[in-house]
Amino acid sequence: MSVRVHSAVGTVVALWQGPLEAVGQEHRVEWTVAEDIAWAVNAWPSASGVSELREDGDRIVCRGQLSLFEDGGAALDVGGTQILFDLADPQLPDGADGSWVVLRAAQDHVTVWPCGV
C-alpha cells in the first residue's frame, strides 16, 4: 500500500510496511531505499546544503549529506534521518564523503516502516 509521508523536509508517496490500522496516524518511520548509489546514474553532487524530500514524476528525490563507511556502505542524512545505502558502479568520486548529494530513486523502491507500532 502506498501512503503520503509528511516530514519536516518534504512530502512524498512511499510504500507502507506497517499495519493497515496505523495508516493515517502520526509515526516515526524508518526509510528503506532498494536502490544502490550509482554516481551520475541516480546520485549527483548538490549545490545546496539543505535537506529535501520531494517527488519528481515517478521518482523520489532526496537531498542530504553523504557519509561513507569502511565496509563499502553509505548513509544519506536527510533532515536528521539516516537512510542506509550500498554503493554501485560507477564509484563515488574522491571527496564525496561529507558532501551534499541529490539521490533519485524509483517511487516503488522507497518503503517506510513505522517505529513503535
Side-chain angles (χ1 to χ4, degrees):
M1 162 189 289
S2 294
V3 295
R4 181 155 300 278
V5 181
H6 302 273
S7 76
V9 296
T11 301
V12 298
V13 172
L15 298 175
W16 176 253
Q17 292 298 320
L20 291 179
E21 61 272 8
V23 172
Q25 299 174 14
E26 186 172 320
H27 301 284
R28 290 186 49 86
V29 295
E30 291 183 19
W31 295 81
T32 301
V33 179
E35 286 188 27
D36 297 344
I37 293 177
W39 199 251
V41 175
N42 67 354
W44 299 267
S46 174
S48 174
V50 177
S51 292
E52 179 184 35
L53 189 62
R54 66 181 171 85
E55 295 175 8
D56 183 14
D58 65 346
R59 300 278 179 196
I60 291 180
V61 179
C62 305
R63 182 173 51 224
Q65 193 168 20
L66 186 67
S67 296
L68 301 178
F69 305 128
E70 289 182 17
D71 68 359
L76 190 64
D77 182 328
V78 180
T81 297
Q82 300 289 318
I83 304 173
L84 301 177
F85 290 93
D86 289 323
L87 301 177
D89 288 327
Q91 298 197 7
L92 280 74
D94 291 340
D97 189 29
S99 68
W100 283 83
V101 172
V102 174
L103 180 106
R104 296 172 50 88
Q107 192 171 34
D108 61 353
H109 290 177
V110 180
T111 305
V112 291
W113 304 77
C115 301
V117 173

